[in-house]
Amino acid sequence: TLLAPYTTLGVGGPADSLAITQTYDETLDVLHTTDEPLWFLGYGSNCLISDEGLRGTTILWRGGEISREGAMLTVDAGVLWDDLVRTTIDHQLWGFELMSEIPSTVGGAVFGNIAAYGQQVSDTLQWVEVYDTNSKQMHTLQHDDITFAYRQSSLQSEPHRKILRAGFKLSTTPLHA
């Protein structure tokens, strides 16, 4: 299956195997039944795929759940970033509002520590659930287990860790009036 139709730039060769998932459980099913190499593509924004394509299994995780307990959110990695931003604004939770319209999934946002206008994902991130393709196990990394810099995270140098969920603590008071 050509990946070009699944990227915002419209380029990319074939995937050996392509799985399109919408839920956490569907994504876990694919993870538990596939071998490496394993790629997460999300909505295909901010990526350039070779005409040679991707070996192994490519997962397009497009969807997921957002759950809220007070100012604490648990969000699946396949959720579109701007859907999360709109949800937080609708619930009068603050910390993401200046990062609206950034094309990404939540997993991509954490992976790249997206940032805009003085806000960055790492400001509110509490934890990340990852699937380790080496051990075939899930782990929860706390904020301090990950090194962040401007538009960077140490997860970028750990391709064996695939982001599944993230926990964020937002503010109930507007930060920018």
Side-chain angles (χ1 to χ4, degrees):
T1 304
L2 283 179
L3 293 170
Y6 299 104
T7 68
T8 56
L9 296 175
V11 296
D16 286 348
S17 176
L18 180 65
I20 301 173
T21 62
Q22 294 181 324
T23 68
Y24 178 84
D25 289 336
E26 288 174 352
T27 303
L28 284 184
D29 286 345
V30 174
L31 289 173
H32 290 129
T33 59
T34 192
D35 289 322
E36 291 216 41
L38 181 65
W39 306 90
F40 272 38
L41 189 56
Y43 287 86
S45 60
N46 299 320
C47 62
L48 187 59
I49 299 171
S50 166
D51 289 340
E52 294 177 17
L54 298 175
R55 304 290 64 91
T57 299
T58 301
I59 299 174
L60 300 179
W61 187 358
R62 297 181 169 190
E65 299 290 324
I66 301 170
S67 61
R68 176 179 168 233
E69 193 170 313
M72 189 68 192
L73 298 176
T74 299
V75 188
D76 291 342
V79 169
L80 190 61
W81 176 255
D82 213 45
D83 288 350
L84 174 59
V85 173
R86 276 181 268 165
T87 297
T88 63
I89 292 169
D90 289 347
H91 288 96
Q92 297 185 5
L93 297 172
W94 311 104
F96 293 157
E97 67 278 3
L98 299 180
M99 294 185 284
S100 181
E101 300 295 324
I102 296 174
S104 182
T105 59
V106 169
V110 171
F111 182 81
N113 191 30
I114 63 171
Y117 304 107
Q119 290 182 338
Q120 58 185 352
V121 166
S122 60
D123 292 340
T124 58
L125 184 74
Q126 301 296 297
W127 55 266
V128 178
E129 179 184 291
V130 296
Y131 178 80
D132 187 315
T133 59
N134 293 338
S135 67
K136 307 280 189 217
Q137 294 183 359
M138 292 187 286
H139 304 280
T140 300
L141 304 174
Q142 299 303 312
H143 179 279
D144 291 344
D145 297 330
I146 305 165
T147 303
F148 293 99
Y150 180 70
R151 295 189 180 172
Q152 291 183 333
S153 80
S154 57
L155 293 167
Q156 293 169 343
S157 62
E158 300 175 327
H160 63 286
R161 290 183 167 170
K162 306 301 182 190
I163 299 168
L164 300 176
R165 284 188 173 145
F168 301 95
K169 186 173 184 183
L170 300 176
S171 176
T172 55
T173 306
L175 305 175
H176 303 89

